[in-house]
Amino acid sequence: MRLSDLAKSMSDAHSNSAATSDSACLILTIQILDTMEGENMSFPSMFVLLGFSDYPWLERPLFGVVLAFYILTMVGNIFIILLTIVDLRLHTPMYFFLDNLSLQDLCIATTILPQLLANLWGPKKTIASWGCITQAYFFHWIGCTECVLLTVMAFDRYLAICRPLQYTLTMHPQVCMQLAVSAWCSGLANSLLQGTLTIQLHHCGHHILDHFFCELPVLIKLACEDTTVNDLTLVAGAIPFVLLAPLLVLISYTFIARAVLKLPSAEGRRKAFSTCSSHMVVVIMYYGPSIYVYLQPPANSTQAKFTSFLYCLITPLLNPLIYTLRNKDVNRALKRLLQSEKGDKS
């Protein structure tokens, strides 16, 4: 569909809407960008993010929700990182990896949510090409890194519960650092490969994304040339992260469950399940929406959009809440910090 046709259809769709002025501004933006349609450029200078423009009555309420979640996400994850740095008793492999997880949540939130807030508040739904490329690279990087990191955290819990005598010798600080660096580097390598192949595609002036942020699969679908190589590369690159990683997590927790059930003490079983259940909730929250989105048919973009919205909004916030509310070590560290503050004031 030509952009002028899309602009006309959007004008008809929104003619009776209360948000007529916002729709008119968006239509005007599309019509201006339509002048680029005849150019065979490898990457447009600007993109239109349709986002939730089909539901103009929903945009302002969503703005308030996204803003509140963004603030809470930043505060919660920064709190986790600072608390584990200040309290020496939390200088363990588990909380070292939790710091990395919180850092990834901060990166996801700052990469996606500010642009989403701007699009929800005003009629201008555009994003510069450099901003779109940055979003695509960073989102893919952080997503792949989190897949590996969750696998590393499952391996850490496996050693702590199933091999307690070897745990201290195996998970010393140097090994933990190497595992974290490997997670970040593997995600970065895949992101650089997939992103570089994607931005080399010709879009023939097509620059309307039916999404609220720039994601590599959406950009690939926008291309006007054969994308078979990109599609195959994307699938092949995803296998270690979305198939092998959750499989390793499942195997690790199968061994953990068997070991926990053999513990003679009921208190020991309860503590082990409590510690591991927090990680399992995070794993389910992460892989569930991701698998759901990528298994949807291309025509079902609305469901995929809302599922991505929930993933980008809720998961980064719930991670610190789960690990603080369900973790006694973190609660004790918080109490010690508050008591030390009261002692200093007195």
Side-chain angles (χ1 to χ4, degrees):
M1 178 186 292
R2 289 181 58 84
L3 295 179
S4 55
D5 297 334
L6 179 58
K8 184 178 182 301
S9 64
M10 290 184 63
S11 178
D12 295 337
H14 292 285
S15 59
N16 297 322
S17 172
T20 305
S21 58
D22 288 356
S23 301
C25 292
L26 178 57
I27 294 164
L28 179 61
T29 301
I30 295 175
Q31 289 174 335
I32 292 174
L33 293 176
D34 192 29
T35 58
M36 297 188 300
E37 189 168 354
E39 301 177 19
N40 187 21
M41 57 183 68
S42 60
F43 214 75
S45 60
M46 190 172 294
F47 287 90
V48 175
L49 295 172
L50 294 182
F52 303 98
S53 57
D54 290 339
Y55 310 93
W57 55 271
L58 192 60
E59 290 189 328
R60 293 304 169 87
L62 280 180
F63 176 86
V65 172
V66 172
L67 180 61
F69 271 71
Y70 181 44
I71 295 173
L72 292 174
T73 296
M74 299 298 291
V75 172
N77 285 286
I78 291 174
F79 166 76
I80 287 288
I81 294 174
L82 293 179
L83 184 63
T84 54
I85 292 175
V86 171
D87 197 301
L88 296 179
R89 299 184 187 183
L90 298 181
H91 288 191
T92 63
M94 175 180 172
Y95 294 103
F96 171 74
F97 295 128
L98 179 58
D99 281 348
N100 281 266
L101 188 64
S102 293
L103 181 59
Q104 291 173 11
D105 290 336
L106 290 173
C107 292
I108 286 288
T110 53
T111 300
I112 305 299
L113 298 187
Q115 180 66 45
L116 176 59
L117 286 171
N119 290 349
L120 288 173
W121 181 256
K124 188 177 181 181
K125 312 294 183 184
T126 58
I127 180 174
S129 60
W130 65 267
C132 188
I133 294 172
T134 302
Q135 275 194 342
Y137 270 112
F138 269 85
F139 184 79
H140 202 76
W141 177 18
I142 301 303
C144 294
T145 301
E146 190 161 353
C147 289
V148 180
L149 184 62
L150 291 175
T151 307
V152 172
M153 294 176 72
F155 176 68
D156 172 72
R157 292 299 85 203
Y158 163 76
L159 288 178
I161 295 174
C162 300
R163 300 286 187 270
L165 298 180
Q166 304 174 10
Y167 181 72
T168 305
L169 295 175
T170 304
M171 299 299 291
H172 55 82
Q174 185 177 358
V175 171
C176 293
M177 182 63 70
Q178 290 173 349
L179 290 172
V181 170
S182 298
W184 286 92
C185 290
S186 61
L188 177 61
N190 192 44
S191 175
L192 290 175
L193 172 63
Q194 306 295 345
T196 303
L197 290 175
T198 301
I199 64 176
Q200 291 178 348
L201 290 172
H202 291 274
H203 291 81
C204 305
H206 301 161
H207 39 260
I208 298 180
L209 300 177
D210 188 16
H211 213 337
F212 61 91
F213 71 98
C214 294
E215 193 175 8
L216 291 180
V218 181
L219 291 172
I220 292 175
K221 292 177 184 177
L222 199 67
C224 60
E225 61 177 294
D226 184 24
T227 60
T228 303
V229 174
N230 297 78
D231 293 332
L232 292 176
T233 305
L234 192 65
V235 172
I239 289 176
F241 300 99
V242 300
L243 290 180
L244 182 58
L247 178 61
L248 293 176
V249 171
L250 181 61
I251 293 174
S252 297
Y253 274 95
T254 301
F255 283 108
I256 289 173
R258 291 174 57 185
V260 170
L261 292 175
K262 293 179 181 179
L263 291 176
S265 169
E267 178 64 20
R269 290 195 297 268
R270 187 198 62 78
K271 184 177 180 180
F273 273 122
S274 177
T275 302
C276 295
S277 62
S278 299
H279 182 222
M280 282 305 299
V281 170
V282 173
V283 169
I284 293 172
M285 286 192 325
Y286 178 76
Y287 284 113
S290 300
I291 294 174
Y292 178 82
V293 168
Y294 282 93
L295 290 181
Q296 289 302 299
N300 202 356
S301 60
T302 301
Q303 268 189 323
K305 190 189 304 182
F306 275 96
T307 305
S308 297
F309 176 77
L310 294 176
Y311 164 72
C312 294
L313 192 68
I314 295 179
T315 304
L317 174 60
L318 289 187
N319 283 351
L321 290 180
I322 288 173
Y323 280 105
T324 53
L325 296 179
R326 294 179 55 87
N327 193 296
K328 291 184 177 181
D329 292 335
V330 175
N331 291 330
R332 294 192 192 103
L334 179 59
K335 290 179 181 179
R336 288 193 295 267
L337 181 62
L338 294 176
Q339 289 172 357
S340 64
E341 289 292 333
K342 290 181 180 178
D344 293 339
K345 290 181 180 179
S346 61

